[in-house]
Amino acid sequence: MPLSSHRRLAVSATLLAALAAGVAPATSAFAAPGGPVAPTATGTPAVPSPDMDGVVAALNSAMANGAPGAMARFVGPDGVRSRTVGVQDRVSGAAMDIHSRFRIGSVSKTFSTVVLLQLVEEGRLQLDTPVNTYLPGLLPDDRITVRHLLTHRSGLADYTNAMFEHTMPGFEAVRNRVFSYQELVDLSLSEPRTTQPGVSYQYSNANFVVVGMLIEKLTGRPVADAYERRIFKPLKLTRTSYVHPDTRIKGAHVRGYLHPDEEGGALVDSTEQTVSWAQSAGAVISSPADLNTFTSALMRGRLLSPAMMEAMTTVTPTDATNTRFYGLGLRRYNLSCGTQVYGHTGTVQGFYTYTFSTRDGRRSVSAMANTSNHGAANTALGGTLEAAFCGKKPAPAASSRSAASPTARDLTSLPAERDLPERH
């Protein structure tokens, strides 16, 4: 079965019809750029047209901050709009191509979460059961539950902080290395825990290494098989793959470039690597179109039941801005126009990625810049979300903070969230 259970395949015809209706073109829902957001004839609030000039400005800003190239793809009720800038290969000079594949880093966490939640639906595990129930003796604290892993509230230390304390030596030490899951867990457990289970959000790649272990223990198959059967094939994600520990990205792809710790140092081509240091926490390869399809399908309920989607999108703050939140393997951002978008960010050596969708799945954005270890480029790339989902900014005289949600804020005024340690 392509989806995780017979029960999901037995969704009523009424629900399927409703989902189908959700993908029908509805261009009247778009207001003119910069114009007022008015209700449609049916009373449904309209949404602003994407500001594609603003998207390009964000991509160019990522380039100005050290990325050789960048791209973004927006999908909305009136179709697809994509933009590219710069190059995807500094040696050949090949222009950035919207169809090319790249490493998506921690966006992989959302794929892993979907698989695990499907297993919850199938009755193979429970969210609030201790991890040690399924992986006896793995963790030193029986209070750590499956939910704590998915929400980054386990307290397990992020081993990548020490691993990449020095960017280039750290990367070269693991570029071709193949780790076992247990080795990565041991690296985490060799460091003090960051919090008591369930107390606070502390982002850690170790959590999703354990998620990968759970998937393989419960299915008896490699995590690659679970991704393929449960997500890639059902959604026809033909440009998405999990090839660990192969170092190659097959087919047309973007080359990634890593900034060394020394300011002004030469970029290092980091494209080929096992990504074994991340595995189920960050080793998936994809493309802008496939990421749009994945986030939209997830939000539309094609991969999980309504109950699981409710659990996945129940979020808590990740900082004091009341702008950024985390659910189960899923980020939520509150944008300046009041729109809430769900998805994930991704960082892997040489690549920054954003992929987000509105809760109804009708609008989605995926964006990538081919560099890393340069936070200003990451923050700049995040500006594609504001431009795509909020449209053109109103004239300053007409701007009013009270017009937006009290918890909304322009993400470009905040440093990007970090999925890996960075020096710049």
Side-chain angles (χ1 to χ4, degrees):
M1 286 274 176
L3 294 180
S4 68
S5 68
H6 292 278
R7 178 166 56 81
R8 258 198 322 278
L9 293 179
V11 175
S12 69
T14 301
L15 177 56
L16 290 175
L19 291 173
V23 300
T27 55
S28 62
F30 280 85
V37 178
T40 63
T42 61
T44 303
V47 295
S49 295
D51 175 13
M52 298 310 294
D53 289 340
V55 169
V56 172
L59 299 179
N60 282 330
S61 180
M63 283 188 61
N65 284 286
M71 60 180 166
R73 185 177 188 271
F74 172 83
V75 180
D78 63 347
V80 176
R81 305 185 195 187
S82 60
R83 298 291 187 271
T84 63
V85 299
V87 299
Q88 66 181 26
D89 187 326
R90 297 177 73 222
V91 174
S92 71
M96 185 64 70
D97 185 343
I98 199 68
H99 302 293
S100 291
R101 306 169 74 223
F102 52 90
R103 300 191 186 280
I104 67 173
S106 288
V107 177
S108 307
K109 290 178 172 66
T110 307
F111 285 84
S112 297
T113 300
V114 168
V115 172
L116 201 67
L117 293 181
Q118 289 182 356
L119 294 173
V120 171
E121 290 186 323
E122 294 166 15
R124 302 201 203 183
L125 79 164
Q126 296 180 337
L127 286 173
D128 296 310
T129 295
V131 172
N132 283 346
T133 300
Y134 308 107
L135 298 169
L138 178 69
L139 303 180
D141 193 331
D142 286 337
R143 295 175 298 169
I144 298 174
T145 67
V146 175
R147 191 187 300 272
H148 290 150
L149 299 177
L150 297 177
T151 56
H152 291 291
R153 289 174 171 266
S154 70
L156 295 176
D158 192 342
Y159 56 85
T160 65
N161 292 331
M163 183 179 284
F164 302 124
E165 181 180 3
H166 302 289
T167 300
M168 284 310 306
F171 171 61
E172 293 298 350
V174 301
R175 181 198 280 261
N176 295 304
R177 185 170 172 181
V178 178
F179 290 92
S180 68
Y181 282 128
Q182 187 65 59
E183 286 178 302
L184 297 176
V185 171
D186 289 344
L187 287 174
S188 173
L189 296 181
S190 70
E191 301 179 28
R193 279 183 279 160
T194 58
T195 183
Q196 293 298 308
V199 171
S200 64
Y201 170 89
Q202 297 288 337
Y203 190 90
S204 174
N205 287 285
N207 290 316
F208 280 81
V209 169
V210 179
V211 168
M213 297 178 77
L214 284 168
I215 290 170
E216 295 198 351
K217 176 66 177 296
L218 295 169
T219 64
R221 299 283 298 167
V223 71
D225 180 73
Y227 290 147
E228 188 72 26
R229 291 191 306 106
R230 293 170 175 271
I231 303 176
F232 300 168
K233 284 187 177 179
L235 296 183
K236 296 181 173 60
L237 305 183
T238 58
R239 294 180 180 269
T240 305
S241 59
Y242 181 85
V243 299
H244 171 268
D246 193 344
T247 62
R248 297 168 297 171
I249 303 177
K250 296 179 181 179
H253 61 274
V254 180
R255 301 202 69 83
Y257 298 94
L258 177 62
H259 283 264
D261 289 339
E262 300 75 26
E263 189 68 55
L267 293 175
V268 174
D269 189 323
S270 53
T271 310
E272 276 79 36
Q273 60 165 306
T274 63
V275 200
S276 193
W277 60 265
Q279 300 190 48
S280 50
V284 173
I285 296 164
S286 193
S287 71
D290 276 10
L291 289 177
N292 287 142
T293 297
F294 171 65
T295 53
S296 294
L298 175 61
M299 290 297 107
R300 291 176 185 270
R302 289 187 57 193
L303 294 169
L304 296 169
S305 69
M308 281 296 99
M309 285 305 302
E310 179 68 22
M312 194 177 193
T313 56
T314 297
V315 298
T316 55
T318 61
D319 57 24
T321 67
N322 285 321
T323 299
R324 303 191 285 211
F325 305 81
Y326 208 88
L328 302 183
L330 196 69
R331 295 194 188 281
R332 190 187 87 189
Y333 288 161
N334 290 2
L335 304 181
S336 63
C337 55
T339 296
Q340 296 177 345
V341 293
Y342 295 83
H344 216 288
T345 54
T347 301
V348 63
Q349 289 88 355
F351 302 92
Y352 287 130
T353 302
Y354 285 75
T355 183
F356 284 83
S357 174
T358 51
R359 182 62 184 86
D360 60 6
R362 290 172 62 83
R363 294 183 290 156
S364 69
V365 168
S366 55
M368 185 280 304
N370 58 340
T371 197
S372 68
N373 197 36
H374 215 262
N378 194 4
T379 299
L381 187 66
T384 59
L385 304 183
E386 287 283 338
F389 290 113
C390 292
K392 288 188 180 295
K393 300 295 184 185
S399 178
S400 173
R401 175 71 65 179
S402 61
S405 164
T407 60
R409 186 171 176 181
D410 190 327
L411 288 179
T412 57
S413 68
L414 301 167
E417 291 186 284
R418 299 192 307 173
D419 299 322
L420 284 181
E422 294 188 327
R423 301 280 81 82
H424 303 301

